[in-house]
Amino acid sequence: MKRFSSLFLVSLLSGATTLGAYKLLFDDGGWMAKKQSIVTVAPENYSKTVGLSNEAVDFTDAADKAVHSVVHVKNVSYRTVSNPIMEYFYGYRGGQQQEQVGTGSGVIISEDGYIVTNNHVVKDASELEITLNNKKVYKAKLIGTDSKMDIALLKIDTDEKLPYSTFADSDNVKVGEWVLAVGNPYNLTSTVTAGIVSAKARNLDTEGIQSFIQTDAAVNPGNSGGALVNTRGELIGINTMISSQTGSYVGYSFAIPSNVTRKIIEDIMEFGNVQRGILGVRGAELNGPTSKELGVPETEGFYINAVDKNSGAQKAGLTKGDIIVKLDNQNISTFAEINAYISTKRPNDKVQVTFIRDEKRMTLPVTLSKNEMLGTSFKGLQLDDLTAAEKKKFRLSFGVKITDIENERLKAYANDLKGGIILHINNADASDVDTVSKLLSNIGDDEGVQIDMLTSNGQRVRFIL
């Protein structure tokens, strides 16, 4: 019995020792335990349920819908080439007319023949010719343009109903989404390239007005004005430019969003020009360094440095230091995103602006104002942009018109000044109200300004104001 007790005790101690050693070496947290991985492994069926198969990526339906609505645009213009030798010896001042031809693409947007393309495709055209995908050729007339956003609207007359593109909501486009770029370059039948959306709200314009969809679908110069469509064949953008040092495609191309394009077209049809509303704020988009410099904790959003006088933003109560983070339901992190959204609105439209003030989130309704507040700040001259009809009438490509005189010193000259067109300010082109506003922002109220203008009776004058 004593011997049995000793054996039992030895067995018990051996088992306890073995169990303890196992836990010490191999159990969770033990010396030889398998370390917990920080890598999350996808389930085995992930690629089958989530990944894209060859059958899932099928662009044939989208391509078939899009190619028939994309056209070739031929721009014929004429310029006079002078002969300096004839001028010198014989006083000959005539010159020879030389034809210039430019080409691009366009998109049919209605069955009765309205076509949208880039403004730079049709600029300075004397004649416009459209070739459909079925090789039929038509003369086109220019209905209207927006040089800022590089959009032009054309019209061809035909008795047949044409295939056309339907507009999708470009605000719903996602980064990484498959897209097709469709063009009709060099009078070939429509060509199709595929890619994905690389980025949204890209701003390549120094004035910060434009906001592009960026894609890696191959787009070359002849495709300007063509269609960017989703996998359902719906129009999400108008291809407008590439980023390249060689002039040929190297990886990135850019399209004007369909929502912006649609608004411009509707404005041209209804008003004859583009009704561009503005929020009335100036500032900088936030990032790490900017936020640190300004001393604010937020690293995303638009920081307001100044609010324009008499603008909707000022009337609503927005002030310097506010950080805009949302317009209606659209999140805002860059100035280009503000422009992308505001470009789809008109003067007097209301926008719900969500902003952060003193670390509190607030929302105010802001009524967009027309971009003509400059009139009260430019020494008593009320200014407005020239319409397309006025540019054609005066044979001008730029300028701003004087609509009213509030300066008492100038009222004696009101008959000559009112209706006149300012062409240059301190030798810089007065392209439009936006440009003039930027020029004058760097000039003090007490400084003299040199003005070159065309008076209402057609005389060109220069004076210091």
Side-chain angles (χ1 to χ4, degrees):
M1 186 67 181
K2 186 176 182 181
R3 180 180 176 84
F4 174 78
S5 299
S6 298
L7 288 172
F8 177 76
L9 183 60
V10 169
S11 300
L12 185 62
L13 290 172
S14 298
T17 302
T18 302
L19 181 61
Y22 177 83
K23 285 189 169 290
L24 182 64
L25 294 175
F26 299 104
D27 213 357
D28 290 345
W31 292 347
M32 298 184 67
K34 185 177 181 180
K35 297 297 182 183
Q36 186 175 0
S37 175
I38 61 171
V39 177
T40 302
V41 180
E44 291 182 3
N45 65 343
Y46 180 82
S47 60
K48 298 178 182 178
T49 58
V50 180
L52 292 174
S53 65
N54 290 332
E55 291 76 17
V57 187
D58 186 352
F59 301 128
T60 55
D61 288 342
D64 186 57
K65 288 180 181 178
V67 293
H68 300 294
S69 65
V70 175
V71 302
H72 176 75
V73 181
K74 180 182 176 181
N75 171 349
V76 180
S77 60
Y78 300 90
R79 70 186 183 100
T80 302
V81 181
S82 61
N83 188 327
I85 295 180
M86 294 286 286
E87 290 180 5
Y88 181 77
F89 286 105
Y90 304 105
Y92 180 72
R93 291 288 187 271
Q96 185 178 7
Q97 288 285 313
Q98 187 177 77
E99 181 181 282
Q100 294 182 311
V101 177
T103 61
S105 302
V107 185
I108 303 171
I109 58 170
S110 69
E111 64 180 13
D112 58 344
Y114 281 98
I115 296 168
V116 63
T117 184
N118 288 145
N119 178 66
H120 75 260
V121 170
V122 300
K123 187 177 181 181
D124 301 325
S126 298
E127 300 172 14
L128 289 168
E129 186 179 275
I130 300 297
T131 304
L132 305 185
N133 195 51
N134 61 10
K135 300 295 187 179
K136 290 185 178 181
V137 179
Y138 298 88
K139 294 293 183 182
K141 59 183 178 181
L142 180 64
I143 303 301
T145 66
D146 180 10
S147 59
K148 287 181 179 295
M149 299 303 296
D150 199 19
I151 288 292
L153 182 64
L154 313 179
K155 176 72 168 64
I156 61 175
D157 293 324
T158 174
D159 294 330
E160 62 179 304
K161 292 184 177 181
L162 301 176
Y164 61 94
S165 288
T166 57
F167 282 75
D169 186 348
S170 55
D171 288 341
N172 292 333
V173 173
K174 305 295 184 184
V175 174
E177 179 179 337
W178 282 103
V179 291
L180 299 180
V182 187
N184 196 321
Y186 316 119
N187 215 8
L188 305 170
T189 54
S190 294
T191 58
V192 180
T193 56
I196 62 168
V197 174
S198 305
K200 294 176 64 178
R202 282 290 196 226
N203 175 26
L204 306 180
D205 181 70
T206 55
E207 295 182 3
I209 294 174
Q210 295 176 325
S211 181
F212 296 103
I213 297 172
Q214 178 182 321
T215 173
D216 66 352
V219 174
N220 281 296
N223 289 332
S224 290
L228 186 71
V229 302
N230 58 24
T231 53
R232 296 183 298 276
E234 300 163 339
L235 189 68
I236 61 172
I238 299 296
N239 298 317
T240 188
M241 67 170 62
I242 58 177
S243 179
S244 168
Q245 295 179 343
T246 64
S248 298
Y249 174 78
V250 292
Y252 298 112
S253 54
F254 301 90
I256 302 163
S258 59
N259 287 2
V260 175
T261 303
R262 179 180 176 182
K263 186 261 181 184
I264 291 170
I265 292 167
E266 290 173 347
D267 280 357
I268 291 173
M269 293 293 293
E270 185 174 351
F271 304 103
N273 56 22
V274 179
Q275 304 291 300
R276 187 170 282 113
I278 62 169
L279 199 58
V281 297
R282 285 170 282 153
E285 56 190 59
L286 293 177
N287 53 39
T290 305
S291 299
K292 185 177 181 181
E293 182 181 340
L294 294 171
V296 296
E298 289 78 14
T299 56
E300 288 188 321
F302 182 79
Y303 182 89
I304 299 177
N305 274 328
V307 179
D308 292 334
K309 186 179 179 181
N310 295 327
S311 66
Q314 184 193 51
K315 293 175 182 177
L318 292 176
T319 62
K320 179 180 179 180
D322 291 343
I323 300 170
I324 297 175
V325 294
K326 183 179 284 189
L327 297 177
D328 290 334
N329 294 320
Q330 296 293 319
N331 292 326
I332 298 298
S333 60
T334 67
F335 190 40
E337 289 174 342
I338 291 181
N339 287 322
Y341 191 72
I342 297 298
S343 292
T344 65
K345 304 294 181 182
R346 295 188 178 96
N348 298 320
D349 283 351
K350 282 191 177 181
V351 177
Q352 297 294 323
V353 179
T354 301
F355 60 97
I356 296 173
R357 178 187 295 173
D358 298 328
E359 300 186 5
K360 294 180 181 178
R361 199 177 182 96
M362 307 170 67
T363 300
L364 285 174
V366 176
T367 301
L368 301 182
S369 44
K370 191 175 181 181
N371 197 3
E372 56 182 14
M373 287 98 60
L374 182 62
T376 59
S377 61
F378 181 38
K379 302 192 176 185
L381 296 180
Q382 290 280 353
L383 305 178
D384 200 356
D385 288 328
L386 293 176
T387 65
E390 288 168 333
K391 288 180 180 179
K392 185 176 181 179
K393 175 183 176 182
F394 295 105
R395 296 182 180 180
L396 296 172
S397 59
F398 65 89
V400 293
K401 63 183 176 183
I402 301 173
T403 59
D404 200 5
I405 309 294
E406 295 180 347
N407 188 324
E408 292 294 332
R409 186 167 61 88
L410 297 175
K411 284 196 173 181
Y413 310 97
N415 289 337
D416 290 327
L417 292 177
K418 193 171 180 180
I421 299 170
I422 295 176
L423 301 174
H424 303 96
I425 296 176
N426 289 347
N427 296 320
D429 290 348
S431 302
D432 48 41
V433 168
D434 284 338
T435 304
V436 171
S437 179
K438 289 179 174 64
L439 289 173
L440 296 176
S441 65
N442 298 319
I443 300 174
D445 292 336
D446 298 330
E447 294 183 50
V449 180
Q450 179 179 289
I451 303 294
D452 294 305
M453 67 172 290
L454 183 70
T455 64
S456 57
N457 58 12
Q459 293 182 326
R460 288 187 180 246
V461 298
R462 174 179 289 180
F463 58 93
I464 303 295
L465 184 61

